[in-house]
Amino acid sequence: MFTTYKTLLILLVLSVIVVSCRDKDNDYSAYFGGEVQNPRTDYVILSKGNNVIDTIPLDKNNRFFVKFDSLTPGLYTFRHEPEYQYVYFEKNDSLLVSLNADDFDQSIVFSGRGDRKNNFLMELYLMNEADRNDSYRIYEYDYNKFIAEINRSYAAREAFYKKNKEKIDWSDEFDFYAQNRLKFSQYTKKEYYPYLHTWRTGNTASLPKGYYNHRSTIDYNNPKLLHFSPFLRYLNAMLTNMSNFKGQRSSNIEESSLNDNIEKLHIADSVFTDENIKNDILDNIAFAYLLENQSTQNNKKFIDHYIKLSTNKNKENEIMRLAASIKNLEEGNALPQVTLVDKDNKPYNLANAKGKETVIFFWTTCAPSHYNQANEKVSGLKKQFPDVNFIAVNVDEMSDWVSAVKNLTCKDIIHLRASDFNLVRKKWAVNQLNRTILLNADGTIKNGFTNLTDESFAENLK
């Protein structure tokens, strides 16, 4: 294992020299390494699309380094749970990344062969994020003021893009992602505007002819866009915008959500002609909806439409599995069994909590503000409901979660960890930290889908 970051740099330089001596036409080797400060897990995952290329362990100094004998040029993601970012490899690139898990995106710096284009991509990402965070109020503007504002911010980022493209002289393949990161940020705002303007002001936005011309410029069936987050964010905005105007309106929120999401399925079916891409998009829509809505009747209506449109009939279909898991979590059912361990890493049986109502909530050391909020909420609830059990389930993979518990003010919580979070995710349909499960005194489910941090949560315990 390597003991200093300088060692990684030396190895990187040597790798470039060695590669230069080979037959470059047939050599697709590449190197990837780096250092993670304040790591959350003891590994980094490199993926392309949904396919994991390698799980790379951190050494005792929180560094990693790996050589790939053959790595296809293109866009990859590197993940250090729960965060991820993109990295682009040209042929024979040798890249090091330095990051701090406490400030993931802001801290990322690349070095080595291929560093300049990757540092540009990160800078453009941060510019887009800052612009997105500053754009909250623009959707209340009238059309002329709105379009002037988004064009002004786009021009600044476009100038940054053009300057770097000329200076770095990157490939056309890389330019595809650089251009689309820039454009989809603009397109997403245009899709948000009509329905957010109406929602916030109560007035229908007056849009000129040709407002949606950008839609015809997008190759929706390009597989390179399928796992590209700027495109997926745009697609969500577009589907929401279109479904808002096509879906059946209802005064019932759940009914409106059902109608809107069924409409999204049908819009996606008409937009995407590539079968595999269409199935993936339908899965994305279904996944988001099923986690929002836990009405068995509505879920069945939604799934019926999903089955008609999706050609994915695989028995391992994640959507069908999620729908089945949600059905298993209906009121009165027994909570499906999963393995939980206590602070001493000993198995804990939830049957031990029987005899009292029990609240199960989830946390991770990666989101301290969320857990502090939950901890404060439980402190207050314990005074109101001293006979209720509160179980905090940690979802981290590393076992040092116990040290975080020692600093908490509320001591009346049973602290456990999910030894296999994937099993918890599948059996309990847990895909967000805000999820809370409430059990009756006999261990059956009282409410499988509630939220501890909601203002009205205490009503569940009365």
Side-chain angles (χ1 to χ4, degrees):
M1 300 301 261
F2 309 109
T3 57
T4 66
Y5 197 66
K6 186 177 180 181
T7 304
L8 293 180
L9 289 170
I10 292 171
L11 284 168
L12 203 60
V13 172
L14 289 174
S15 73
V16 171
I17 294 172
V18 171
V19 166
S20 67
C21 297
R22 294 178 179 168
D23 177 5
K24 286 194 172 184
D25 289 339
N26 299 313
D27 181 21
Y28 283 86
S29 62
Y31 296 80
F32 184 49
E35 179 177 18
V36 182
Q37 298 177 47
N38 303 311
R40 302 300 190 191
T41 62
D42 56 3
Y43 57 87
V44 170
I45 298 173
L46 185 71
S47 303
K48 189 168 182 59
N50 283 334
N51 300 315
V52 174
I53 304 300
D54 199 2
T55 300
I56 313 166
L58 301 182
D59 67 15
K60 63 182 180 181
N61 297 304
N62 300 326
R63 300 180 183 109
F64 66 97
F65 193 76
V66 64
K67 176 195 173 186
F68 296 102
D69 291 330
S70 181
L71 194 68
T72 304
L75 190 71
Y76 292 76
T77 59
F78 64 94
R79 180 179 295 276
H80 183 71
E81 301 290 2
E83 306 281 0
Y84 80 93
Q85 261 303 342
Y86 291 111
V87 56
Y88 192 93
F89 281 93
E90 301 278 12
K91 186 179 178 183
N92 300 138
D93 273 351
S94 297
L95 287 163
L96 292 181
V97 59
S98 172
L99 65 92
N100 186 331
D102 286 344
D103 192 14
F104 191 84
D105 292 329
Q106 298 285 345
S107 67
I108 291 175
V109 177
F110 291 95
S111 57
R113 176 182 280 179
D115 61 342
R116 291 202 298 167
K117 62 178 177 291
N118 279 289
N119 283 325
F120 158 78
L121 206 60
M122 273 307 306
E123 287 183 70
L124 182 58
Y125 165 80
L126 293 173
M127 289 176 72
N128 281 343
E129 286 299 289
D131 181 68
R132 191 155 66 102
N133 292 335
D134 291 340
S135 297
Y136 182 80
R137 291 293 176 193
I138 66 173
Y139 302 106
E140 298 173 9
Y141 297 166
D142 63 39
Y143 171 77
N144 289 331
K145 187 175 180 182
F146 165 77
I147 209 70
E149 178 61 27
I150 68 169
N151 285 343
R152 180 198 60 77
S153 65
Y154 179 84
R157 286 171 288 129
E158 184 183 38
F160 175 74
Y161 156 78
K162 288 181 176 179
K163 176 183 176 182
N164 279 272
K165 182 181 180 182
E166 182 179 354
K167 184 168 60 175
I168 300 174
D169 190 28
W170 52 59
S171 67
D172 290 342
E173 282 294 303
F174 177 81
D175 193 54
F176 172 85
Y177 293 104
Q179 272 200 57
N180 280 306
R181 182 177 279 286
L182 182 69
K183 290 179 179 178
F184 280 122
S185 174
Q186 182 81 338
Y187 297 163
T188 300
K189 291 177 187 175
K190 294 191 73 174
E191 296 290 350
Y192 277 148
Y193 180 68
Y195 67 90
L196 285 183
H197 182 80
T198 301
W199 181 60
R200 291 184 185 178
T201 67
N203 301 316
T204 302
S206 179
L207 305 177
K209 186 178 179 180
Y211 180 79
Y212 292 114
N213 282 351
H214 60 272
R215 290 178 180 172
S216 63
T217 69
I218 299 169
D219 180 5
Y220 293 94
N221 294 283
N222 189 330
K224 290 191 292 187
L225 291 175
L226 180 58
H227 302 289
F228 191 44
S229 61
F231 169 70
L232 295 176
R233 186 179 292 121
Y234 164 76
L235 183 63
N236 180 63
M238 184 193 79
L239 291 173
T240 301
N241 186 18
M242 294 178 73
S243 65
N244 263 266
F245 291 101
K246 288 187 176 182
Q248 300 176 44
R249 296 292 92 198
S250 170
S251 57
N252 183 292
I253 295 176
E254 286 189 357
E255 195 68 26
S256 285
S257 178
L258 172 65
N259 293 334
D260 284 348
N261 280 279
I262 288 175
E263 189 62 41
K264 285 182 184 181
L265 291 177
H266 287 281
I267 294 169
D269 182 57
S270 66
V271 168
F272 295 93
T273 56
D274 182 283
E275 185 175 297
N276 292 328
I277 294 177
K278 182 179 76 171
N279 284 340
D280 273 1
I281 299 302
L282 292 175
D283 284 356
N284 288 345
I285 296 167
F287 192 75
Y289 173 73
L290 290 172
L291 288 176
E292 272 181 12
N293 182 75
Q294 282 74 50
S295 163
T296 302
Q297 184 178 2
N298 284 352
N299 282 351
K300 185 181 184 308
K301 291 178 183 177
F302 178 84
I303 288 294
D304 285 346
H305 284 267
Y306 167 82
I307 290 172
K308 288 177 184 177
L309 299 177
S310 175
T311 59
N312 179 9
K313 308 304 180 185
N314 192 320
K315 291 182 180 179
E316 297 301 311
N317 186 325
E318 188 71 17
I319 300 305
M320 302 306 294
R321 180 182 291 170
L322 176 61
S325 295
I326 291 172
K327 184 170 177 56
N328 289 337
L329 294 166
E330 288 180 0
E331 181 181 337
N333 287 352
L335 188 65
Q337 290 188 356
V338 300
T339 302
L340 302 173
V341 296
D342 63 18
K343 289 183 283 187
D344 297 317
N345 210 36
K346 294 179 180 179
Y348 182 92
N349 191 337
L350 283 177
N352 296 340
K354 281 186 178 180
K356 297 181 179 180
E357 281 194 333
T358 299
V359 174
I360 302 173
F361 62 103
F362 304 88
W363 69 285
T364 170
T365 55
C366 301
S369 60
H370 166 266
Y371 189 63
N372 288 335
Q373 182 185 9
N375 179 61
E376 290 177 12
K377 185 68 175 283
V378 171
S379 295
L381 289 171
K382 256 301 185 183
K383 295 174 183 176
Q384 287 181 268
F385 308 99
D387 292 330
V388 173
N389 288 319
F390 288 87
I391 296 179
V393 177
N394 178 269
V395 298
D396 293 342
E397 292 192 20
M398 296 181 73
S399 58
D400 64 352
W401 64 282
V402 176
S403 59
V405 173
K406 296 176 181 177
N407 301 320
L408 298 173
T409 55
C410 183
K411 306 302 179 184
D412 296 322
I413 299 176
I414 301 171
H415 289 281
L416 305 174
R417 184 171 73 90
S419 56
D420 183 354
F421 178 61
N422 281 329
L423 197 60
V424 173
R425 181 178 62 82
K426 290 177 181 178
K427 286 195 171 187
W428 291 358
V430 176
N431 289 84
Q432 49 189 341
L433 283 180
N434 289 334
R435 173 72 179 287
T436 305
I437 299 172
L438 180 59
L439 303 181
N440 293 306
D442 63 0
T444 58
I445 298 169
K446 184 176 182 180
N447 189 336
F449 297 89
T450 184
N451 185 343
L452 176 68
T453 58
D454 280 350
E455 290 185 9
S456 60
F457 178 79
E459 297 297 318
N460 289 290
L461 303 176
K462 293 179 180 178

